[in-house]
């Protein structure tokens, strides 16, 4: 009887979305998914390409993509209603620079795959650092109110109504408005020359894109448009920005992160929806100006807007420094860039070979005339001061410091360096915080260690500070001074210090030469405190030391200084720890998680990833359990799904395991660490 039951046939309803019609197909429990789709297509009297279509089960929010599985195996019965729909659908994506692009994404694959395909089209390497974010409507409304006055002032000549400008779902209005001058359709023409799995850009493939002009006609923009963003984003993009005032508001933003292991369709994303593409994991791997022009620009833009909206807090001096670098970016982006002549092809080949050698061997710490030794580990040694803070002030004590690999050793004198060290610290996974003031000749930096109390190191001059600060920063990321990025790190620190010098004979631009709108360069806090002319004068004064910086160098400098901020890379969540009656803030960074008091904003407790043994989710209680050395942390998240936190922690662990630049992302390992599946 059971065999007869399996062979009995029944009609299965399948809705064909392209035709807006429903069709019945005769099946039984042993019918394969592939046979079902074949019978469905053959029963249609329409000649069309159905290769991109798949079966979607709305009740279960599940794709039926494996053609060999039977309906009984999947659990499809007679009351089910399936959909036969395209797997690729169009969505509107806002990039980190606030440009909107219309792309076709695969709605049947996990978002991790969809972001990989999107970044391949855009020319962005290392797509595992990015993800898709749903815009939160509550924040969108708040952002509109906060920017209302500014928009009326700067766009008073616009004849568009505010309702049309702020509409995010009306495709016709967007295409016809003046705010949609940069909405390219990245699927209307061939893709980038993007053949390698790690996303190496093939610059020999000239590609253009179609875009919508102000009159609605289709124009063309170059592929370099993503490497140089518009000077002023659209009204819609500006109005959607949100300026969080509390840690709780910062935490609400993270509610929208989508599950990387599930598809867009499974997470209720409809066709023509608006999504945000953002850098999710602040652990940027192998930033190379020669091949990452688009990536660096998008990263710079995300950093810029995080500073301007005060999502990442900084001091007034740091804000002016960022404003000066941003002003240099604006100047160099509007002027022709000096291009190296390509008369001799051998020069390009030699340069490429030198870059490859530097990547494989690491940067040289010797002078250009010296031969680099490949058998010794680079080290630096010098007399520095260790600062010890006490109740009534601080005390500095002189030691002979030796830095080798990621180990910092302290000796009483240079003569005793061959004996036992007074103190020894492993800086892998630590946090480096600069404390420098060039005008006061203060060159200090703090090292927040994971197993002992924090230390503060005092250098005597700029060159000494630059070398030791760069070495400690690399060590905190698990890298040594043999890494190819050491020289670039030193140069970036020196460029930052040069901006704090008294300008002397340098002649800054006068405010009348170039118009500066302070709201484009500084956050609301400074706008309320100072007049526009005062801010403009201080920006131009700080900018006078940056006149020789190129466009890419300026963007890289901005990103490096952004990374040096104490609050850089912190993603906030509202949580309740087990045993506690009040809600607190959990901060997740690239190397640690922090328990933060929401009122004082002080870190009550810090756990480094290096001390974590395991992390998992109790799905019955929706609690996160993190096992560290000596303690177990348990908490529930009230501002987002607990899966988001699990994915953040697992994602950062995955980022720390990346070794080879030329290897594609290990998707199976990523899903394993983030609690997903392949």
């Amino acid at each position: 009887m059971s065999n007869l039951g399996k062979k009995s046939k029944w009609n299965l309803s399948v809705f064909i979305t392209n035709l807006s019609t429903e069709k019945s197909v005769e099946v039984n429990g042993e019918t394969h998914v592939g046979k079902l789709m074949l019978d469905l297509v053959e029963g249609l009297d329409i000649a069309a390409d159905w290769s991109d279509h798949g079966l979607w089960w709305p009740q279960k929010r599940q794709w039926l993509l494996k053609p060999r599985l039977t309906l009984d195996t999947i659990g499809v019965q007679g009351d089910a209603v399936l959909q036969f729909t395209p797997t690729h659908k169009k969505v509107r994506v806002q990039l980190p620079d606030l440009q909107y692009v219309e792309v076709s994404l695969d709605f049947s694959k996990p978002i991790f795959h969809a972001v990989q395909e999107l970044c391949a089209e855009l020319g962005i390497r290392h797509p595992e650092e990015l993800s898709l974010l749903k815009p939160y409507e509550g924040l969108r409304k708040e952002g509109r109110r906060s920017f209302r006055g500014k928009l009326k002032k700067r766009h008073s000549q616009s004849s568009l109504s505010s309702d049309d400008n702020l509409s995010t779902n009306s495709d016709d209005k967007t295409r016809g408005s003046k705010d949609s001058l940069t909405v390219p359709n990245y699927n209307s023409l061939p893709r980038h020359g993007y053949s390698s799995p790690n996303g190496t850009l093939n610059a020999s493939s000239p590609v253009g894109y179609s875009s919508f002009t102000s009159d609605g006609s289709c124009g063309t923009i170059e592929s370099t448009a993503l490497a140089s963003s518009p000077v002023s984003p659209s009204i819609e993009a500006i109005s959607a920005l949100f300026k969080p005032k509390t840690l709780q508001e910062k935490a609400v933003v993270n509610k929208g992160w989508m599950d990387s292991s599930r598809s867009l369709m499974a997470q209720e994303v409809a066709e023509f929806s608006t999504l945000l593409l953002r850098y999710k994991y602040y652990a940027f791997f192998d930033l190379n100006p020669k091949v990452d022009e688009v990536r660096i620009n998008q990263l710079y833009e995300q950093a810029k807007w995080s500073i301007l909206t005060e999502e990442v807090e900084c001091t007034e001096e740091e804000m002016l420094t960022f404003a000066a670098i941003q002003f240099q970016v604006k100047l160099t982006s509007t002027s022709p860039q000096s291009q190296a002549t390509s008369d001799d092809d051998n020069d390009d080949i030699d340069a490429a070979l030198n870059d490859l050698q530097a990547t494989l061997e690491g940067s040289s710490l010797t002078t250009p005339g010296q031969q680099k030794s490949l058998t010794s580990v680079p080290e630096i040694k010098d007399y520095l001061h260790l600062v010890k803070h006490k109740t009534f002030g601080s005390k500095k004590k002189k030691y002979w410091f030796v830095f080798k690999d990621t180990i910092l050793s302290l000796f009483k004198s240079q003569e005793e360096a061959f004996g036992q060290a007074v103190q020894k610290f492993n800086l892998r996974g630590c946090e480096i915080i600069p404390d420098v003031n060039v005008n006061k000749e203060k060159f200090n930096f703090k090292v927040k260690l994971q197993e002992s109390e924090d230390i503060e190191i005092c250098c005597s001059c700029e060159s000494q500070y630059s070398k030791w600060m760069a070495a400690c920063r690399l060590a905190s990321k698990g890298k040594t001074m043999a890494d190819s990025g050491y020289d670039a790190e030193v140069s970036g620190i020196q460029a930052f210090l040069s901006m704090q010098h008294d300008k002397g004979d340098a002649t800054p631009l006068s405010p009348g030469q170039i118009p500066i709108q302070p709201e484009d360069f500084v956050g609301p806090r400074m706008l309320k405190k100072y007049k526009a002319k005062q801010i403009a004068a201080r920006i131009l004064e700080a900018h006078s030391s940056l006149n020789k910086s190129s466009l890419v160098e300026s963007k890289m400098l901005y990103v490096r200084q952004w990374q040096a901020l104490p609050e850089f890379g912190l993603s906030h969540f509202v949580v309740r720890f087990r045993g506690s009656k009040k809600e607190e803030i959990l901060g997740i960074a690239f190397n640690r998680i922090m328990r933060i008091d929401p009122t004082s904003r002080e870190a009550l407790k810090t756990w480094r990833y290096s001390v974590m043994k395991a992390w998992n989710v109790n799905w019955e209680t929706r609690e996160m359990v993190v096992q560290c050395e000596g303690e177990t942390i348990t908490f529930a998240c009230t501002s987002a799904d607990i899966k988001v936190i699990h994915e953040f922690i697992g994602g950062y662990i995955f980022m720390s395991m990346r070794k080879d630049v030329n290897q594609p992302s290990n998707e199976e390992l990523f899903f394993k660490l983030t609690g997903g599946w392949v």
Side-chain angles (χ1 to χ4, degrees):
M1 292 296 295
S2 59
N3 292 334
L4 293 176
K6 287 185 178 180
K7 295 181 180 179
S8 61
K9 295 187 177 181
W10 37 274
N11 290 328
L12 178 64
S13 298
V14 180
F15 182 78
I16 303 159
T17 57
N18 280 15
L19 305 178
S20 297
T21 184
E22 188 171 326
K23 185 175 179 60
S24 295
V25 182
E26 192 176 53
V27 297
N28 60 28
E30 296 180 351
T31 302
H32 294 79
V33 171
K35 181 67 166 55
L36 170 60
M37 290 192 292
L38 180 62
D39 292 342
L40 179 65
V41 171
E42 289 180 347
L44 298 174
D45 297 330
I46 299 175
D49 183 7
W50 304 98
S51 59
D52 188 47
H53 282 59
L55 289 173
W56 168 251
W57 192 359
Q59 293 92 332
K60 299 288 186 178
R61 308 209 64 81
Q62 176 184 351
W63 283 95
L64 310 182
L65 299 176
K66 297 182 178 180
R68 294 186 178 182
L69 291 182
T70 64
L71 298 183
D72 274 349
T73 303
I74 301 172
V76 176
Q77 298 179 355
D79 59 345
V81 177
L82 305 183
Q83 291 183 3
F84 191 57
T85 184
T87 57
H88 284 81
K89 301 177 185 294
K90 288 190 176 182
V91 293
R92 192 163 174 256
V93 176
Q94 187 193 65
L95 304 181
D97 64 352
L98 306 188
Q99 289 191 82
Y100 287 97
V101 296
E102 186 182 84
V103 296
S104 178
L105 297 182
D106 194 332
F107 273 52
S108 65
K109 292 183 179 179
I111 285 183
F112 188 87
H113 296 277
V115 172
Q116 280 186 319
E117 293 180 357
L118 175 59
C119 289
E121 288 189 52
L122 302 179
I124 299 176
R125 295 198 309 155
H126 299 292
E128 66 274 7
E129 300 169 353
L130 299 95
S131 189
L132 293 173
L133 185 71
K134 282 185 179 180
Y136 183 59
E137 288 301 321
L139 300 183
R140 187 180 295 275
K141 293 176 183 177
E142 178 66 26
R144 293 172 187 171
R145 288 195 295 268
S146 63
F147 279 91
R148 185 80 62 182
K150 177 176 160 183
L151 291 174
K152 288 182 179 179
K153 178 181 177 181
R154 298 186 58 187
H155 301 278
S156 58
Q157 297 180 352
S158 176
S159 60
L160 296 172
S161 66
S162 61
D163 292 337
D164 289 343
N165 293 336
L166 302 179
S167 173
T168 59
N169 296 321
S170 177
D171 192 53
D172 295 335
K173 290 179 182 179
T174 303
R175 294 187 180 183
S177 67
K178 296 181 180 180
D179 302 327
S180 60
L181 299 182
T182 55
V183 186
N185 179 356
Y186 280 84
N187 297 280
S188 59
L189 289 174
R191 299 187 177 189
H192 276 264
Y194 214 72
S195 55
S196 66
N198 65 313
T200 304
L201 184 62
N202 182 1
S204 63
S205 302
V207 180
Y209 301 108
S210 65
S211 64
F212 296 103
T213 59
S214 57
D215 59 355
S217 60
C218 185
T220 302
I221 63 173
E222 299 295 331
S223 60
T224 54
L226 297 179
S228 55
S229 304
V231 176
S232 179
S234 64
I235 298 177
E236 176 188 351
I238 289 291
S239 65
L241 286 174
F242 175 65
K243 297 184 288 185
K245 298 178 181 179
T246 64
L247 294 182
Q248 289 85 344
E249 291 182 353
K250 291 182 180 180
V252 174
V253 178
N254 292 315
K255 180 181 181 180
W257 287 113
M258 306 188 71
D259 190 340
S260 297
S261 61
R262 300 172 62 202
S263 66
L264 289 166
M265 203 85 158
Q267 300 184 67
E268 301 181 357
V269 175
E271 191 173 9
F272 304 116
S273 296
T274 298
L275 299 174
L276 312 180
L277 179 69
R278 294 290 186 270
Y279 281 89
K280 179 178 181 179
Y281 301 104
Y282 296 91
F284 315 121
F285 185 58
D286 184 39
L287 278 174
N288 189 339
K290 295 186 178 181
V291 295
D292 284 330
E293 193 174 0
V294 174
R295 182 181 174 210
I296 291 173
N297 178 64
Q298 296 300 321
L299 191 55
Y300 157 76
E301 288 288 335
Q302 182 163 331
K304 181 184 75 174
W305 289 112
S306 71
I307 296 295
L308 294 181
T309 59
E310 296 183 351
E311 178 185 347
V312 178
E313 296 184 3
C314 58
T315 64
E316 289 185 6
E317 291 299 324
E318 290 168 337
M319 179 74 75
L320 289 172
T321 300
F322 284 116
I325 302 174
Q326 182 186 339
F327 185 64
Q328 176 65 10
V329 171
K330 180 179 180 180
L331 290 180
T332 52
S333 61
T334 55
S335 60
Q337 297 294 303
S338 59
Q339 299 290 339
T341 58
S342 56
D343 297 335
D344 190 357
D345 294 338
N346 293 328
D347 292 341
D348 296 335
I349 297 175
D350 292 339
L353 291 175
N354 291 334
D355 290 340
L356 178 60
Q357 182 179 1
T359 302
L360 296 176
E361 298 179 355
S363 60
S364 175
L365 300 178
T366 59
T367 57
Q370 294 176 321
Q371 180 68 28
K372 181 183 176 181
S373 175
L374 299 179
T375 60
S376 60
V377 179
E379 65 177 354
I380 51 176
K381 53 187 76 172
D382 208 342
Y383 277 109
L384 304 174
H385 286 88
L386 187 66
V387 182
K388 294 185 177 180
H389 294 278
K390 298 185 177 181
T391 307
F392 301 101
S394 60
K395 181 180 179 181
K396 293 195 298 184
K397 190 172 182 180
K398 190 175 182 180
Y399 287 97
W400 177 255
F401 282 70
V402 177
F403 195 96
K404 187 174 183 179
D405 199 8
T406 61
I407 306 298
L408 180 65
S409 304
L410 279 66
F411 301 89
K412 290 184 177 180
S413 64
Q414 182 177 0
E415 291 73 19
E416 299 182 12
F418 295 99
Q420 186 69 25
V422 177
Q423 285 181 295
K424 186 176 288 187
F425 308 101
N426 189 343
L427 302 191
R428 183 186 295 269
C430 71
E431 183 180 357
I432 309 296
I433 301 177
D435 185 12
V436 60
N437 190 319
V438 175
N439 296 328
K440 295 181 180 180
E441 296 185 352
K442 181 181 180 181
F443 304 99
N444 296 8
F445 60 90
K446 299 176 183 178
V447 181
K448 289 185 173 292
L449 300 166
Q450 52 196 12
E451 60 274 329
S452 60
E453 63 180 9
D454 303 337
I455 62 173
E456 184 173 349
I457 299 173
C458 176
C459 301
S460 59
C461 61
E462 290 185 29
S463 59
Q464 190 182 62
Y465 172 83
S466 301
K467 291 189 298 182
W468 285 86
M469 181 68 171
C472 291
R473 278 186 181 174
L474 289 178
S476 68
K477 302 174 183 177
K479 301 178 181 179
T480 68
M481 289 178 290
D483 188 87
S484 59
Y486 177 76
D487 291 336
E489 192 72 41
V490 173
S491 300
I493 295 172
Q494 291 175 342
F496 174 70
L497 295 177
S498 67
M499 297 179 62
Q500 298 189 23
H501 281 287
D502 291 329
K503 302 307 180 283
D505 299 333
T507 305
L509 297 169
S510 64
Q513 286 182 268
I514 298 177
I516 292 183
Q517 294 181 340
E519 62 268 19
D520 292 337
F521 295 91
V522 297
R525 183 161 43 90
M526 287 196 67
L527 292 174
K528 294 178 181 178
K529 189 174 181 180
Y530 300 101
K531 295 181 179 179
K533 291 183 179 180
Q534 293 176 314
I535 296 175
R538 294 180 67 180
I539 292 175
L540 292 173
E541 181 183 3
H543 166 263
S544 60
S545 61
L546 289 170
N547 291 329
K548 296 182 180 180
S549 299
S550 67
L551 178 61
V552 177
E553 289 174 348
S554 300
K555 292 178 180 178
M556 286 291 293
L557 178 60
Y558 196 104
V559 172
R560 289 196 188 101
Q561 301 315 313
W562 180 49
Q563 291 176 292
L565 293 176
E567 288 196 4
F568 162 75
L570 271 180
S571 301
H572 299 85
F573 297 89
V574 180
V575 299
R576 181 179 286 108
F577 286 85
R578 179 178 289 184
S580 177
K581 296 181 180 180
K582 64 177 183 178
E583 291 184 337
E584 297 175 83
I585 301 296
L586 182 76
I588 302 179
F590 66 94
N591 60 348
R592 68 198 186 280
I593 62 175
M594 304 167 62
R595 185 175 184 174
I596 305 173
D597 182 82
T599 305
S600 63
R601 298 194 173 195
E602 294 182 357
L604 304 177
K605 183 77 174 179
T606 300
W607 300 275
R608 309 281 174 183
Y609 294 145
S610 56
V611 302
M612 289 186 185
K613 294 183 177 180
W615 68 98
N616 56 77
V617 175
N618 185 335
W619 296 109
E620 294 182 1
T621 60
R622 309 296 292 183
E623 288 181 317
M624 186 82 183
V625 181
V626 181
Q627 297 179 12
C628 299
E629 294 179 356
E631 63 179 323
T632 299
I633 315 155
T634 305
F635 56 85
C637 184
T638 59
S639 63
D641 190 273
I642 196 65
K643 177 66 168 63
V644 179
I645 294 182
H646 190 285
E647 190 168 304
F648 259 98
I649 296 176
Y652 275 126
I653 299 294
F654 172 77
M655 300 299 161
S656 66
M657 299 172 68
R658 294 179 297 181
K659 301 296 182 183
D660 194 342
V661 177
N662 298 316
Q663 289 295 325
S665 299
N666 188 333
E667 300 167 14
E668 184 175 355
L669 177 60
F670 178 85
F671 288 140
K672 180 179 179 181
L673 293 173
T674 57
W677 58 87
V678 180

